[in-house]
Amino acid sequence: MPGGLKDDSLSTVSFCLLSHHKHFKDCTPMRFHCRVVTVHFLVLDSCLNDSQISESVNQGKIPKAKVPLAGFIVDNGTSLCCCWADDARAELLLRLQEIAILDASVNLKRSKDRNNAKIQRTLGSCLEKMLKKHKKVIVKNYGVPPDISCRDLELLSDVGNVLSSLEEELLKFIVLNACRNGTLNVIASALDASAINGSNVELPDVYPAHNMQNFWVNEIVQVDPLEEARRLYASLENR
């Protein structure tokens, strides 16, 4: 899979309408606006050992969770397509750093324990404990957009353990929260679906992205609606 952009950036790659690119014969980067409709595949992995996890929880640090691969169904304004990402780009689409500091008792309807420190009631600490227990967690979403109810999620533990109800609620919250990301400015390259199947991950036998155009995300920037409106207005005014 292609990595980050070497010579291109948001300032040098022009916008395009994906409906105008029916056949993607190369991996030329394309720039487009989109919003996340749902997360249909997700791998979460711990990048800390047991002692580091304990230290992170005790010191109240934002958890270190690695995202080796994530697939997002996005709406680009003309159709639905599938965007794949890893590492920092996947974390940004999932908003992991933002939700890590949220109170678990509020967002997961979890009863508070007076014996727990404040950091142990955050979603970040719940995520760390889950990954410490399961090492790696895989989420497969069989739901078909626009259904984002998370009723058709398959949750798998790398060590074969059964996920608790709290862990299931945490993963559902992560999936649903990604859909509240707003509009994103994305640079991506067309990707052959067979490249995903050959990356040592077992995708669902039936999943929506089979019939969609696939892209590999190279760069992401959150769109400021006010600034975007001003830019569009200035562009129209100068015509």
Side-chain angles (χ1 to χ4, degrees):
M1 296 181 185
L5 293 177
K6 295 180 180 180
D7 301 318
D8 298 299
S9 68
L10 286 172
S11 60
T12 60
V13 180
S14 60
F15 273 105
C16 71
L17 291 177
L18 298 186
S19 59
H20 296 167
H21 294 70
K22 296 182 182 297
H23 303 285
F24 301 88
K25 297 181 179 180
D26 55 32
C27 293
T28 303
M30 291 169 286
R31 181 183 177 193
F32 54 90
H33 285 332
C34 66
R35 65 176 183 85
V36 175
V37 175
T38 189
V39 179
H40 71 88
F41 186 82
L42 173 62
V43 180
L44 289 170
D45 198 354
S46 175
C47 57
L48 299 177
N49 57 39
D50 291 353
S51 61
Q52 288 175 315
I53 290 177
S54 177
E55 179 183 356
S56 177
V57 171
N58 291 333
Q59 294 182 4
K61 296 179 180 179
I62 294 177
K64 298 292 185 180
K66 185 166 59 176
V67 187
L69 183 66
F72 304 84
I73 294 179
V74 304
D75 183 353
N76 58 60
T78 59
S79 62
L80 297 179
C81 62
C82 181
C83 286
W84 297 88
D86 62 359
D87 300 330
R89 293 174 290 271
E91 289 182 25
L92 183 59
L93 286 167
L94 291 168
R95 303 169 66 188
L96 283 186
Q97 298 302 316
E98 296 179 34
I99 68 174
I101 59 175
L102 298 180
D103 193 326
S105 62
V106 174
N107 293 279
L108 302 182
K109 299 179 180 179
R110 179 190 182 193
S111 59
K112 293 187 177 182
D113 186 348
R114 295 180 180 178
N115 296 323
N116 288 340
K118 182 177 181 180
I119 187 62
Q120 292 178 309
R121 295 198 302 269
T122 65
L123 295 180
S125 65
C126 292
L127 180 59
E128 281 190 344
K129 290 180 180 179
M130 178 182 70
L131 293 177
K132 178 181 178 181
K133 174 183 175 182
H134 300 284
K135 307 304 181 184
K136 180 189 295 183
V137 173
I138 298 175
V139 179
K140 299 180 182 181
N141 190 352
Y142 290 87
V144 178
D147 178 19
I148 57 171
S149 61
C150 289
R151 290 176 297 183
D152 298 314
L153 290 185
E154 181 182 4
L155 310 176
L156 303 173
S157 167
D158 189 51
V159 295
N161 292 334
V162 177
L163 277 75
S164 68
S165 58
L166 175 62
E167 291 166 342
E168 291 182 1
E169 288 300 318
L170 173 61
L171 292 171
K172 289 179 181 178
F173 180 86
I174 291 175
V175 170
L176 291 173
N177 190 70
C179 304
R180 307 186 183 107
N181 222 345
T183 303
L184 299 168
N185 200 345
V186 171
I187 289 181
S189 302
L191 179 69
D192 189 340
S194 61
I196 300 296
N197 294 327
S199 59
N200 297 322
V201 295
E202 185 179 349
L203 296 175
D205 295 330
V206 178
Y207 73 110
H210 275 308
N211 299 319
M212 296 180 186
Q213 178 61 47
N214 287 266
F215 294 91
W216 183 258
V217 176
N218 295 303
E219 192 172 346
I220 307 166
V221 172
Q222 190 83 35
V223 174
D224 184 331
L226 181 57
E227 289 300 320
E228 185 66 14
R230 288 172 176 166
R231 185 189 67 81
L232 291 173
Y233 179 79
S235 176
L236 292 171
E237 192 177 36
N238 292 332
R239 288 185 178 182

